[in-house]
Amino acid sequence: MPLLEIRDLCISYYTRAGEIPAVVDFSLVLKAGESVGLVGESGCGKSTVAMGIMQYLGNNGGIVSGSIKFKGRELTTLGGEELRRLRGSEIAMVYQEPMAALNPSLTIASQLMEVPMVHERVTQSEARERALKLLADVHLPDPERIMAAYPHQLSGGQQQRVVIAMALLSNPSLLLLDEPTTALDVTVEAGIVELIAELSRKFGTALLYISHNLSLMLETCDRVCVMYSGEVIEEGAVDSIFTWPKHPYTHGLFSCIPLPDADKNTRPLVPIRGQLPLPHERPPGCNFGPRCDFFKQGLCDAQDIAIEPVTVGKDADHCVRCIRWNDIDPSDAITVGPSKQAVAVGDIVLEVKGMQKYYEVDDRSIRALISGGGKRYVKANEALDFSARRGETVAIVGESGCGKSTFAKVLMGLETATGGEIRLDGINIGEMPVRERSAKQLASLQMVFQNPNDTLNPSHTIGSQISRVIRKFGVESDRAKVAERMLRLLDLVKLPRDFAFRRPRQLSSGQKQRVGIARAFAGNPSMVIADEPVSALDVSVAAAVTELLMDIQREHKTTLLFISHDLSVVRYLADRIVVMYLGRIMERGTTAEVFNPPYHPYTEALLSAVPIADPKIEKRHIVLEGAPPSALDPPKGCPFHTRCPRKVGAICEQERPPERAAGEGHVIACHIPLEELRGVEPVIRTAC
Amino acid sequence: MVVFILRRLGFMVLTMVVVSLLLFLLLEISPGNVATKVLGPYSSEEQRTLWLAAHGYFEPLHVRYFSWLGNFATGDFGESIRFKVPVSEVLWPRLANTAILGLATFAIMIPLSLVLGILAGMREGSKLDRAISVTSIATTSVPEFASAVFLSAIFVFWLKLLPGTSGMTEGFSIKQLILPVMVLVLYDFGYVARMTRASMAEVMTTAYIRTAVLKGLPYKQVILKHALRNALITPFTVIMLQINWLLSGVIVVEFFFAYKGFGALLLEASLNQDIFLIEACAMVAVFVAVATQAIADIGYTYLNPRIRFA
Amino acid sequence: MTETAMRAPSHQAALLRALTSFALLRESWVGMVGAGIVAFWIVVAILAPLISPFEPNAILQPFAKPGTEFAEGGTFWLGTDQIGRDILSRIFWGSRTVLFYAPLATFSAYVVGILMGLAAGYQRGWVDEVLSRIGDIILSFPVLVLYIIVIATIGASGVNIIIAITFSSAPGIMRIVRGLVLDLRNRDYVAAAQTRGESSWRIMLVEILPNARGPLIVDACLRLGYVIITIGVLGFLGLGLPPPDPDWGGMINEARAIALAFPHMTVFPCIAISSLILGFNLLADGLREISLRD
């Protein structure tokens, strides 16, 4: 008997607009100890499935039909009390936002101990013992201290480990993980992923792993279900799906992911055209039809399409929901876009020399008042040195809190530097706040922002927002000419002209981001800063926006400063890379230099932490301990020494590492001699 | 935390000083006015000048202010014009009467509003929630003077159950306290209940309540252990600030029912331009308001571990 | 494309949005009831001269019970007061007073409060510190005590009431606006405006303020209710608008001494004022419900 058996499950939400089917005909069989991944873009219904299993769909959600059997018991008809006994003891869950999932006003101890106390009626002291043991099992240092802490006193990674410990306290046979690492930094994510795999082996727990990240599936799951618009469109063993994706959508997803062999000039990404249909506007027949290159009228849109088994490769465990799967070979589709002309790199546009930015913080503790030292400094940026040339793409990479966004703010004049120089076209703008800059300077340096829902003012139309920029920068002043230029900018970002009259909430995330790009290019900038422009977008949309940005940059020969935490994207589009950690540059060089030995140990760990959606690629596993220290109290010596797996010794704790030139323009700040770093094996290797 | 409390108390003192200055400027900026108010409109110019000289009114303004402040701080409020006795002799008994009224109101209002608010917020959108919400909107829409009129019409004029005035001329009487307390509770509970409801409803939608439910905890434990702790932080501050509102309500109610309390005294003093009594009453009112606010702020930080252990 | 062709749709869109807001209100029956009550009183105020059976200040027949026929024709539907004025007519005319002063005072408080809130929330630093402290001090004063002292000292008049309400309400509005601005100023579109060199006032008024309108509209409805209460209380305490023009609070004050013998003189004005406040409060609740849904 399978552990979990879901048959033809349909879940709907009931809103003022009517019934919205979130999940349609979902079937899944999960054996004990097995791990299955549920992957898809936002709005595909993957999280709804998890909540359906938990029978927790809120006031407006409900199961329309189908069955969910857990160990042979039907969950959909279970009474409240039986359901309660099941939740948390047999089926447990780990959530996306660990901070939000923990009660802010209760200690970790009381939140952990109540689980066995409620489900197994154990005594207080036994519950305490078990909680301590599990905290040790999830590799949290000093469990006693963690027990006494409140959630906000722990880091994000620690919080998620506590949530995992809480889920495992009653030794459940099924663990649901809903995007458990999405809110975490990439090096922390790597640790959590490894922990989950380790624990599921150790406790024999079956996993249902929900994620938008296809790459993570490879490292965590035995089998994968790919969902699209409420349906499973492809399902099978991980290797089979990753090697022979049969559904055009799955295949399209892989072409959207910047794999290590992708390159912006020779092997550009191929975005999926169009956008995800809204739940109440799904097309007849195949939901993916309108976006599919293999769409055949009268066939694909004629009837509902069933999911059926396919035989590919050596595996028979592979199903696909495509009526034409036998006639088509998705790999016939273009997997590599037409190669594009590389931009000729020109003169130096931006030069950063010894730039630093300190924030003053008032220390209001009694000790500080008594000793009189009320001021402390957050060193957000320290001794930054790098340059960018015309037409070049320079990426700044680092995890949250590394100071990359602070640098962007200083560059834009929203903050001023506390030391050093930032020269744009030869003029030092580091200490020039935005109101002291001329219109020309402002126009020549523009920014694309991260959050698509925040980048446009919801109260004004798209057209008026773009027109304002055009007038403000003095590009045009005549009304008709402004309008004409605005419309041409919409053409530039491939949006229909009548979007000018729309308001931001009528646009999808990708479209908003396009408008953001149009706005940045309105004043013919010589340099554009893009602060994580695609990290909030779905994979297929992100690929399209990335390509658009690259095309416009190519055409205008603009310098692009690309700020990102995502090494895959950076490898794909950057010419040169700056790796930052705690406000300092750890390594900088060309993309090829940074991604190959000699590495800075931090770069090495970062590379290893990024999941790659290609089973042919082998990776060395390097998992960093702990979380980045606070910028308020940075470690002495090398900022990375507290987590560095290659720490040499006391010298790392006491002395700033020297900047060693490993090549022309390739600099590594580390105490380890270059020869030794050169001897390090590459992190990524393609298996033959 | 200690630093925070000290800062908060410091701000409280600062507020009191600023308010006293404003009050002083408003009421005593022109000595001629003061003399007219104290000695009455029919006093002669000569009498007024004599009085002003005797009470140091020809000193510079800042000297006058500081000596006035000094007297105040030592509890010397001057003499009431209307009652012809030292202000403190009328003030404290009146304040005690109002304290009784206030305590009785709070003793009923707090449990009532918290229970209703929690019941409504527990299941947002339920019939019970709608009923409680609409009721509390309706009761807060009826100002105290109107509900005093309605309740008197019902209980005094029509049913003849309760006395229409609460002068308590023949000693303390519970029966005379019922209507004033009823009016105050009726107006005030709705606001606290709505705040509690909003806070509770918000907590019920948080991810940590979902965690608690999906941990398989019994519903009672989810509410009592996980929800209430967080949901009651806001109502606590609201209740403390409600004391401020109550002061306003007390004026209306005491005036309407002729209850011999602090509110009626303040009003009487204002209407009769009893200048020293106004000053004393205003400073007491401000002290109560500022002190409750300080307690609310300190209590809020104490109840919220995110701030307490920051 | 011509200018008119470009503009027309945005006007239509604005009209459409206004219509959909009304349509949305229909989905909250609480809000609809509130809007109905408010609309009723607005109509009454406008038509007061046409629908009032008698002159509001005419002295006709004292102590008439509700429903009494007047010798010279007509009926005192709600009776007359102690000096013989028709209560229904005075209530109708009194709605003009309250619906004139309450919105005016609220509006004036909003103008001051919004400007203070924008400055405090957007400029931060010492501006914020000073404005917030001033606000805290005013807010720490029990409102009614403040009114009584101020109005008893400077005298009761329409303008003074508006000034007193502005003075005491503006800090509360400032707090709300400041809170909203502190959130909105960190939005990327504000950063975008800053990086194209917009002036602070333009950012505050054009980029930030329109996005704070939702909560402010709800608050304005609630606050209108409170202002009506305040005006009523001042009238009731004898500190309201000077007689003889009809004012609901004043009517209750005048009849207070004989209220137990002639409840009709106080009960009907109380119903009038309570219903109007209820209307604004229900409207606010409906608007909030709708704004939370989207």
Side-chain angles (χ1 to χ4, degrees):
Chain A
M1 183 173 60
L3 181 71
L4 179 75
E5 192 177 5
I6 303 177
R7 285 269 161 257
D8 306 323
L9 182 68
C10 292
I11 301 177
S12 286
Y13 289 107
Y14 300 90
T15 67
R16 283 176 298 150
E19 179 182 340
I20 292 179
V23 173
V24 184
D25 285 339
F26 181 90
S27 298
L28 176 81
V29 177
L30 188 61
K31 298 198 242 352
E34 194 184 27
S35 59
V36 171
L38 215 53
V39 70
E41 295 180 281
S42 55
C44 71
K46 54 191 190 302
S47 294
T48 307
V49 171
M51 287 307 165
I53 296 171
M54 275 296 197
Q55 296 286 302
Y56 191 80
L57 290 163
N59 289 335
N60 62 342
I63 291 173
V64 181
S65 62
S67 85
I68 306 172
K69 280 205 172 78
F70 178 74
K71 293 186 175 167
R73 289 162 80 190
E74 179 61 49
L75 295 187
T76 50
T77 53
L78 219 52
E81 184 56 24
E82 287 167 295
L83 196 62
R84 184 186 71 69
R85 287 209 192 108
L86 203 73
R87 287 170 173 170
S89 73
E90 301 228 42
I91 308 177
M93 192 157 176
V94 174
Y95 314 88
Q96 177 169 358
E97 300 273 352
M99 177 73 180
L102 293 169
N103 192 325
S105 56
L106 295 176
T107 59
I108 301 297
S110 88
Q111 299 190 51
L112 286 176
M113 282 157 59
E114 66 185 356
V115 176
M117 282 165 73
V118 161
H119 286 298
E120 297 165 54
R121 311 218 160 270
V122 301
T123 60
Q124 189 121 16
S125 59
E126 200 193 328
R128 191 175 172 80
E129 225 157 85
R130 280 212 216 170
L132 280 170
K133 189 180 161 294
L134 254 166
L135 285 182
D137 280 343
V138 296
H139 308 304
L140 279 168
D142 199 356
E144 286 285 354
R145 189 184 63 80
I146 302 274
M147 286 283 271
Y150 285 91
H152 72 277
Q153 294 168 313
L154 308 179
S155 72
Q158 288 175 323
Q159 286 167 352
Q160 195 60 298
R161 283 170 194 262
V162 168
V163 174
I164 292 171
M166 195 160 78
L168 293 175
L169 260 173
S170 271
N171 207 357
S173 32
L174 174 60
L175 187 60
L176 308 177
L177 301 128
D178 189 3
E179 306 260 12
T181 58
T182 306
L184 304 173
D185 265 326
V186 62
T187 56
V188 180
E189 169 181 85
I192 298 283
V193 166
E194 200 185 59
L195 174 75
I196 291 168
E198 178 198 323
L199 292 176
S200 86
R201 271 197 308 275
K202 185 168 163 186
F203 292 91
T205 318
L207 302 179
L208 185 62
Y209 197 108
I210 295 164
S211 177
H212 68 286
N213 190 338
L214 205 51
S215 319
L216 269 182
M217 296 292 139
L218 199 55
E219 305 190 357
T220 50
C221 298
D222 305 327
R223 281 154 40 79
V224 180
C225 296
V226 184
M227 290 187 74
Y228 180 79
S229 194
E231 296 176 329
V232 174
I233 50 99
E234 188 158 12
E235 171 189 2
V238 165
D239 279 341
S240 185
I241 297 268
F242 276 69
T243 320
W244 303 283
K246 291 304 283 182
H247 197 286
Y249 173 66
T250 319
H251 203 268
L253 276 183
F254 281 110
S255 319
C256 290
I257 300 173
L259 292 172
D261 60 348
D263 179 277
K264 64 174 168 178
N265 296 320
T266 56
R267 294 174 67 88
L269 301 179
V270 190
I272 303 174
R273 62 193 156 82
Q275 51 184 324
L276 194 77
L278 294 171
H280 50 275
E281 288 170 0
R282 289 185 184 132
C286 178
N287 286 340
F288 187 62
R291 304 176 70 185
C292 183
D293 289 334
F294 300 97
F295 179 74
K296 216 174 202 173
Q297 211 168 11
L299 182 66
C300 295
D301 56 1
Q303 76 240 321
D304 284 347
I305 292 156
I307 190 160
E308 45 187 306
V310 296
T311 38
V312 279
K314 54 189 189 318
D315 245 323
D317 179 19
H318 195 145
C319 306
V320 65
R321 194 189 291 269
C322 175
I323 202 158
R324 303 192 64 208
W325 70 269
N326 224 349
D327 310 335
I328 58 168
D329 183 0
S331 50
D332 281 353
I334 320 145
T335 53
V336 176
S339 62
K340 295 168 181 178
Q341 186 87 48
V343 191
V345 172
D347 300 333
I348 288 187
V349 176
L350 176 82
E351 196 164 21
V352 183
K353 276 190 201 155
M355 179 273 189
Q356 61 176 41
K357 171 71 189 169
Y358 291 178
Y359 288 102
E360 212 175 83
V361 196
D362 281 347
D363 188 341
R364 287 183 173 167
S365 69
I366 300 175
R367 197 170 357 121
L369 276 187
I370 293 167
S371 66
K375 299 266 184 278
R376 291 165 80 191
Y377 294 94
V378 175
K379 297 177 179 174
N381 288 153
E382 179 89 300
L384 297 192
D385 275 301
F386 70 95
S387 59
R389 290 167 183 275
R390 179 160 314 281
E392 195 177 35
T393 303
V394 176
I396 302 183
V397 184
E399 296 176 275
S400 56
C402 74
K404 54 191 195 296
S405 295
T406 304
F407 175 72
K409 278 188 186 157
V410 175
L411 196 53
M412 297 305 296
L414 299 176
E415 307 268 359
T416 48
T418 31
E421 291 180 359
I422 301 176
R423 291 194 175 276
L424 184 71
D425 294 323
I427 303 160
N428 184 10
I429 55 165
E431 280 151 43
M432 200 191 281
V434 76
R435 35 182 106 233
E436 285 170 26
R437 298 186 184 182
S438 66
K440 194 173 153 286
Q441 278 173 324
L442 291 171
S444 70
L445 182 61
Q446 278 296 299
M447 184 151 170
V448 178
F449 296 90
Q450 172 175 12
N451 186 344
N453 297 320
D454 243 23
T455 187
L456 302 176
N457 192 326
S459 298
H460 305 299
T461 60
I462 304 302
S464 70
Q465 297 193 49
I466 298 178
S467 304
R468 175 74 196 165
V469 186
I470 298 168
R471 273 197 302 274
K472 189 74 197 168
F473 290 158
V475 182
E476 300 285 353
S477 52
D478 179 66
R479 275 192 172 192
K481 279 190 178 157
V482 170
E484 180 53 35
R485 166 113 183 110
M486 181 266 291
L487 293 174
R488 274 195 284 115
L489 279 166
L490 284 180
D491 297 344
L492 180 72
V493 294
K494 302 194 172 87
L495 288 175
R497 287 191 163 200
D498 67 321
F499 271 39
F501 305 118
R502 298 207 187 174
R503 267 162 218 278
R505 67 186 152 85
Q506 294 163 287
L507 269 60
S508 70
S509 301
Q511 290 165 337
K512 287 181 206 166
Q513 217 49 344
R514 283 166 191 261
V515 176
I517 292 172
R519 184 177 60 187
F521 281 88
N524 296 318
S526 60
M527 176 158 174
V528 166
I529 305 172
D531 187 358
E532 309 254 15
V534 297
S535 64
L537 302 176
D538 274 320
V539 201
S540 64
V541 181
V545 173
T546 309
E547 284 309 306
L548 177 78
L549 190 59
M550 302 311 312
D551 286 347
I552 300 176
Q553 183 209 7
R554 231 175 238 120
E555 204 176 304
H556 289 71
K557 306 210 168 15
T558 319
T559 309
L560 184 65
L561 190 64
F562 194 90
I563 296 175
S564 179
H565 70 282
D566 186 347
L567 275 184
S568 313
V569 179
V570 163
R571 168 175 30 216
Y572 169 70
L573 55 73
D575 300 314
R576 289 195 299 123
I577 296 177
V578 176
V579 181
M580 284 181 72
Y581 185 79
L582 270 182
R584 288 180 164 267
I585 294 180
M586 297 283 106
E587 178 171 2
R588 63 187 150 89
T590 62
T591 307
E593 284 166 348
V594 171
F595 279 83
N596 290 297
Y599 305 112
H600 188 284
Y602 176 63
T603 317
E604 191 185 357
L606 212 51
L607 277 175
S608 160
V610 178
I612 295 169
D614 187 343
K616 292 193 298 294
I617 293 215
E618 283 174 11
K619 245 180 16 177
R620 273 194 295 128
H621 269 277
I622 305 163
V623 171
L624 293 183
E625 298 286 320
S630 146
L632 194 64
D633 195 15
K636 281 214 170 78
C638 174
F640 186 53
H641 84 249
T642 52
R643 298 172 76 198
C644 183
R646 292 187 188 276
K647 189 172 148 185
V648 188
I651 187 170
C652 297
E653 293 166 20
Q654 283 148 13
E655 274 176 52
R656 285 270 174 228
E659 294 203 339
R660 300 177 199 267
E664 200 197 333
H666 184 201
V667 172
I668 297 176
C670 185
H671 286 296
I672 304 171
L674 274 177
E675 300 71 60
E676 205 182 317
L677 290 176
R678 282 208 176 92
V680 168
E681 256 184 88
V683 176
I684 295 167
R685 165 173 301 172
T686 311
C688 300
Chain B
M1 190 73 192
V2 179
V3 176
F4 173 77
I5 292 175
L6 288 177
R7 279 169 61 94
R8 199 65 195 71
L9 293 178
F11 177 68
M12 188 178 139
V13 173
L14 178 77
T15 310
M16 297 286 298
V17 169
V18 172
V19 167
S20 71
L21 182 64
L22 291 175
L23 203 63
F24 180 80
L25 290 177
L26 183 72
L27 294 169
E28 300 209 17
I29 185 104
S30 111
N33 262 340
V34 180
T36 317
K37 280 173 192 164
V38 173
L39 300 175
Y42 305 114
S43 54
S44 72
E45 190 67 32
E46 198 182 347
Q47 283 172 312
R48 287 181 211 166
T49 318
L50 276 174
W51 186 87
L52 287 173
H55 291 83
Y57 272 88
F58 294 115
E59 302 281 330
L61 194 64
H62 63 274
V63 176
R64 273 172 52 206
Y65 171 66
F66 282 112
S67 75
W68 177 82
L69 195 64
N71 288 343
F72 234 96
T74 51
D76 174 10
F77 302 133
E79 188 162 304
S80 161
I81 302 156
R82 188 169 162 75
F83 297 95
K84 312 285 184 221
V85 288
V87 165
S88 48
E89 251 175 60
V90 256
L91 185 63
W92 302 122
R94 291 292 197 109
L95 208 54
N97 283 346
T98 295
I100 295 172
L101 185 58
L103 283 178
T105 305
F106 267 41
I108 298 168
M109 191 260 288
I110 293 174
L112 182 72
S113 52
L114 288 186
V115 167
L116 289 181
I118 287 164
L119 284 177
M122 232 161 68
R123 294 183 200 275
E124 202 183 356
S126 64
K127 281 210 175 89
L128 184 67
D129 173 29
R130 298 217 145 236
I132 293 174
S133 296
V134 171
T135 312
S136 51
I137 291 176
T139 57
T140 37
S141 299
V142 183
E144 285 111 344
F145 62 84
S147 54
V149 164
F150 294 144
L151 292 178
S152 312
I154 295 170
F155 290 101
V156 185
F157 178 77
W158 186 35
L159 298 176
K160 301 193 169 42
L161 278 178
L162 293 170
T165 55
S166 312
M168 310 221 172
T169 40
E170 287 144 37
F172 182 77
S173 146
I174 288 272
K175 228 178 165 186
Q176 294 189 8
L177 200 62
I178 294 177
L179 274 180
V181 168
M182 229 155 115
V183 169
L184 288 173
V185 169
L186 207 58
Y187 181 68
D188 280 347
F189 94 88
Y191 183 70
V192 180
R194 276 163 81 186
M195 286 296 162
T196 311
R197 174 197 173 272
S199 173
M200 185 73 185
E202 195 193 314
V203 166
M204 289 308 285
T205 60
T206 57
Y208 59 82
I209 291 299
R210 183 181 68 182
T211 310
V213 172
L214 296 187
K215 262 186 200 174
L217 300 185
Y219 192 66
K220 215 167 122 188
Q221 193 171 341
V222 173
I223 297 293
L224 294 179
K225 184 173 173 186
H226 286 263
L228 282 190
R229 238 195 137 83
N230 294 292
L232 287 182
I233 295 176
T234 318
F236 169 77
T237 42
V238 169
I239 286 169
M240 292 314 287
L241 297 180
Q242 202 66 16
I243 293 178
N244 212 336
W245 279 95
L246 197 66
L247 269 173
S248 300
V250 152
I251 297 175
V252 172
V253 166
E254 290 181 353
F255 176 61
F256 190 92
F257 292 105
Y259 184 83
K260 293 221 163 15
F262 172 77
L265 183 71
L266 178 89
L267 185 67
E268 210 176 330
S270 299
L271 293 176
N272 293 299
Q273 294 293 307
D274 188 344
I275 182 163
F276 302 120
L277 192 54
I278 297 180
E279 287 169 2
C281 286
M283 287 311 286
V284 168
V286 171
F287 175 77
V288 171
V290 176
T292 49
Q293 263 169 23
I295 295 171
D297 279 6
I298 294 167
Y300 179 80
T301 29
Y302 183 74
L303 288 176
N304 198 335
R306 264 175 291 191
I307 303 178
R308 193 166 21 132
F309 296 107
Chain C
M1 191 177 295
T2 63
E3 189 66 15
T4 43
M6 288 222 9
R7 294 207 132 198
S10 80
H11 277 284
Q12 278 172 13
L15 191 69
L16 206 67
R17 273 207 319 283
L19 285 176
T20 43
S21 323
F22 272 107
L24 276 176
L25 196 55
R26 220 183 307 155
E27 287 180 32
S28 155
W29 66 267
V30 170
M32 272 311 275
V33 171
I37 298 174
V38 172
F40 167 78
W41 282 114
I42 292 175
V43 171
V44 166
I46 293 169
L47 301 181
L50 299 176
I51 57 176
S52 298
F54 300 98
E55 278 291 306
N57 291 329
I59 294 166
L60 307 162
Q61 178 188 337
F63 300 107
K65 290 247 151 55
T68 311
E69 303 265 339
F70 184 42
E72 293 169 35
T75 312
F76 300 121
W77 293 111
L78 302 183
T80 59
D81 63 10
Q82 67 278 19
I83 56 172
R85 296 172 295 189
D86 178 49
I87 289 180
L88 183 65
S89 304
R90 285 180 71 72
I91 285 178
F92 283 172
W93 280 88
S95 67
R96 290 191 146 194
T97 317
V98 70
L99 283 173
F100 174 75
Y101 283 107
L104 201 63
T106 311
F107 178 75
S108 139
Y110 256 87
V111 171
V112 176
I114 283 178
L115 292 179
M116 284 168 72
L118 283 173
Y122 185 69
Q123 307 288 0
R124 306 293 310 272
W126 66 267
V127 178
D128 184 19
E129 195 71 19
V130 169
L131 288 175
S132 294
R133 289 292 161 255
I134 293 175
D136 284 349
I137 288 174
I138 297 175
L139 281 178
S140 68
F141 223 98
V143 197
L144 195 56
V145 176
L146 185 75
Y147 291 137
I148 290 174
I149 294 172
V150 170
I151 290 184
T153 310
I154 63 178
S157 76
V159 176
N160 285 350
I161 286 176
I162 290 174
I163 291 173
I165 287 173
T166 304
F167 183 71
S168 63
S169 309
I173 298 165
M174 181 193 88
R175 260 194 198 176
I176 296 173
V177 175
R178 178 177 173 273
L180 292 166
V181 172
L182 281 184
D183 174 28
L184 292 171
R185 75 194 291 274
N186 292 327
R187 301 295 167 97
D188 287 343
Y189 55 80
V190 173
Q194 287 167 335
T195 58
R196 63 171 185 262
E198 300 285 6
S199 71
S200 297
W201 281 109
R202 191 187 149 91
I203 292 177
M204 285 189 254
L205 295 175
V206 178
E207 303 285 342
I208 294 180
L209 190 58
N211 297 308
R213 64 176 186 268
L216 289 184
I217 289 171
V218 173
D219 177 71
C221 279
L222 280 179
R223 211 165 279 275
L224 256 171
Y226 284 120
V227 169
I228 294 169
I229 292 183
T230 304
I231 293 176
V233 167
L234 287 175
F236 168 73
L237 295 178
L239 294 167
L241 299 164
D245 278 338
D247 161 46
W248 292 345
M251 291 168 73
I252 301 162
N253 178 47
E254 286 160 22
R256 188 177 54 86
I258 45 170
L260 289 179
F262 301 97
H264 73 267
M265 295 185 197
T266 49
V267 165
F268 293 119
C270 280
I271 290 176
I273 194 166
S274 301
S275 69
L276 181 56
I277 297 162
L278 182 68
F280 279 114
N281 284 349
L282 291 177
L283 183 60
D285 198 65
L287 289 174
R288 175 172 38 221
E289 199 182 318
I290 290 160
S291 70
L292 285 184
R293 251 189 256 163
D294 295 300

